[in-house]
Amino acid sequence: MSVEGDTTDDLQEQIAALQQRVQELEQANERALEEMHDHFHSRAMFKRLLAQISSRFVHIGVDDVDPAIEQALADIGSFVDADRTFLCQYACDLAIMNNTHDWCAPGIVSLKQYFQKFETRGYEWMTDTLQAGQIVHVASSEELPAAAASLQELLHKIGVRSLIAVPLMSAGKLRGFVGFSFNERSLGWIEEQVELLRIVGETFLGALDRQRFERKLRNNEEQFRILAENVPGVVYLCRNDDRFSMIYLNNQVETL
């Protein structure tokens, strides 16, 4: 065999190997572009979803607030493929926590009743993190620090592997959090998604505050009417205009 033949064979092998490598790089590049496209598409879809959710609360009625929040939790939970999504609110200077709204994926049992008037003592690691305005991202319950031993024990008890909680702040005060739990897997989050969820959570708080105020006002009006209808005399409310336009007049005017 000639030296020239050996050299030609080696060159052909190198060319073939180079072509193979180029093909592999092209395929890897195509996959990377597809993943990038899917990633940006997913982010755009997530933004659109949260924008739609926020718009629902613009002119929502008092009695529709709770169903709207639960539907929003369902929409977000389905999008991120969570097992549970929930809204928890604090009371008594963060000493008590109540799970006020939740959604569960098909086949997943709700834990809402378990977290009613739930004492937070022993869970300071989570509360302090949320109070600082930071998210609680538990990629795996096995990786929690010693300071979160109580939380780790709780997650094991309810069968949760991964947890994400986004704090809901109002006037610099922690009011609650929106949580996402996963029984078998973990989900990574980027800061942009967290900030969008904060905005949605603040929308929830605003709607709940408005609901609480209007129900209190409605209750006060009802108490006024009961009182006014039982006073042995005429009770009236009128405008200070040229006709003293009547706003309210109780039934005792008939007797008078």
Side-chain angles (χ1 to χ4, degrees), residues 72-90:
L73 292 176
D75 292 341
I76 300 172
S78 298
F79 187 90
V80 301
D81 199 23
D83 290 300
R84 296 184 186 91
T85 58
F86 41 91
L87 171 62
C88 292
Q89 299 183 65
Y90 287 106

Side-chain angles (χ1 to χ4, degrees), residues 65-66 69 87 89 101 204-212:
V65 170
D66 294 318
I69 291 177
L87 171 62
Q89 299 183 65
H101 305 77
F204 292 166
L205 285 182
L208 289 169
D209 286 343
R210 187 171 72 250
Q211 179 192 61
R212 191 176 299 111

Side-chain angles (χ1 to χ4, degrees), residues 87-89 96-102 110-119:
L87 171 62
C88 292
Q89 299 183 65
I96 299 294
M97 181 189 75
N98 292 298
N99 181 188
T100 56
H101 305 77
D102 77 339
S110 173
L111 298 175
K112 185 177 180 180
Q113 295 301 319
Y114 181 80
F115 293 101
Q116 298 302 314
K117 296 182 179 179
F118 186 83
E119 295 185 4

Side-chain angles (χ1 to χ4, degrees), residues 47-190:
K47 286 183 179 180
R48 189 175 301 122
L49 171 63
L50 297 187
Q52 290 172 350
I53 289 173
S54 296
S55 66
R56 296 175 194 167
F57 289 84
V58 175
H59 301 295
I60 195 169
V62 175
D63 298 326
D64 296 326
V65 170
D66 294 318
I69 291 177
E70 302 240 335
Q71 182 59 56
L73 292 176
D75 292 341
I76 300 172
S78 298
F79 187 90
V80 301
D81 199 23
D83 290 300
R84 296 184 186 91
T85 58
F86 41 91
L87 171 62
C88 292
Q89 299 183 65
Y90 287 106
C92 303
D93 294 327
L94 307 182
I96 299 294
M97 181 189 75
N98 292 298
N99 181 188
T100 56
H101 305 77
D102 77 339
W103 168 86
C104 297
I108 302 299
V109 179
S110 173
L111 298 175
K112 185 177 180 180
Q113 295 301 319
Y114 181 80
F115 293 101
Q116 298 302 314
K117 296 182 179 179
F118 186 83
E119 295 185 4
T120 60
R121 187 172 62 178
Y123 299 93
E124 287 81 6
W125 178 85
M126 180 172 179
T127 305
D128 291 346
T129 302
L130 293 171
Q131 196 169 15
Q134 302 174 3
I135 69 166
V136 171
H137 186 187
V138 181
S140 173
S141 57
E142 302 296 336
E143 300 174 0
L144 281 167
S150 296
L151 178 60
Q152 184 181 63
E153 182 180 353
L154 175 63
L155 295 181
H156 287 171
K157 182 178 180 180
I158 61 178
V160 171
R161 179 178 183 272
S162 178
L163 171 72
I164 296 170
V166 180
L168 303 182
M169 312 291 291
S170 177
K173 181 180 179 182
L174 178 64
R175 295 276 303 279
F177 62 88
V178 177
F180 305 83
S181 66
F182 305 84
N183 294 350
E184 302 294 337
R185 71 184 189 89
S186 177
L187 180 67
W189 292 81
I190 60 176

